Amino acid sequence: MEFQYNTICESFMAKESDEKEKNQLKFLGHNGEVVEMSYEELRHKAVSIAKEISSFIDPHDRVILSVTEPSLYIPFFWAILISGGTVVPFFCSVESLSMKNDADANKLKIITSISKANSIIVTEDKIDTIEEIIPNIEIKSTDEILSSVNRDDADYEKELRYIPKVSDLAMILFTSGSTGDPKGVPFTHDKLLKGILIDQSALEYTDKTRFFNWFPMEHVAPLNLFHILPLLL
């Protein structure tokens, strides 16, 4: 398998939707609701979000993304990347964060410090708690951002807002911290693509393969194997 593009952002922006299968992506929410969308719809949503978050995200900024619903997480994930930012996933519940000395609250502090994050994007229900845990960081809610998004944007184009280099950081994924402080693992665009190429060589997926992911999106397996790799097929 050879890649036509140098970065996952270029691949994402070029991915064509299958006219025979409009709903190429299906997200099962925590409440059991199924959200379906095509790659074209995902790209349009991500680009629209990117236009809004460009007011506080510059290229190479590290952005913590704390959103648990996959149908919301994935568009914001791509919006950060095509804005030139680096995604730092962090998953936890509001109840867990509300305990200021809880492991998740401490983990968030450590991740913010190690990643040198410039901002954090969260769901509205986490805003107040996170402001107490990490007061010196710009916090934006998904509701606030989406309320400004023009979903019928006539100027939508399949163009990157920022063209990343292969050496640019795409993500920083953190270990669980079960045996000590969480450790950040950086993934450049080049490292991501090479890892996916190895996976594809071993597993021999095709564009007819259907993928089912049950892991939280903060882990490398669901991002690489169940979302980014299918995007490249």
Side-chain angles (χ1 to χ4, degrees), residues 132-168:
E132 294 183 35
I133 296 171
I134 43 174
N136 299 317
I137 192 172
E138 185 165 17
I139 304 172
K140 296 288 185 178
S141 79
T142 53
D143 288 351
E144 175 188 357
I145 295 167
L146 290 173
S147 68
S148 302
V149 166
N150 183 356
R151 293 176 176 79
D152 299 317
D153 190 351
D155 297 325
Y156 166 66
E157 295 179 0
K158 297 179 187 178
E159 295 181 2
L160 282 173
R161 299 186 60 77
Y162 170 80
I163 300 177
K165 300 175 182 177
V166 294
S167 58
D168 283 351

Side-chain angles (χ1 to χ4, degrees), residues 25-29 31-36 71:
L25 301 164
K26 296 184 180 182
F27 302 100
L28 178 61
N31 60 357
E33 179 185 3
V34 177
V35 177
E36 301 179 335
S71 62

Side-chain angles (χ1 to χ4, degrees), residues 47-92:
V47 170
S48 299
I49 293 171
K51 289 181 178 180
E52 294 301 319
I53 65 178
S54 62
S55 62
F56 64 92
I57 294 178
D58 293 321
H60 309 298
D61 279 358
R62 282 87 182 279
V63 184
I64 295 174
L65 182 57
S66 185
V67 177
T68 56
E69 284 292 343
S71 62
L72 192 58
Y73 175 88
I74 290 297
F76 273 90
F77 170 84
W78 285 111
I80 294 169
L81 285 181
I82 63 180
S83 297
T86 300
V87 182
V88 184
F90 174 72
F91 279 41
C92 69

Side-chain angles (χ1 to χ4, degrees), residues 175-186:
T175 60
S176 65
S178 58
T179 59
D181 287 346
K183 299 171 182 63
V185 181

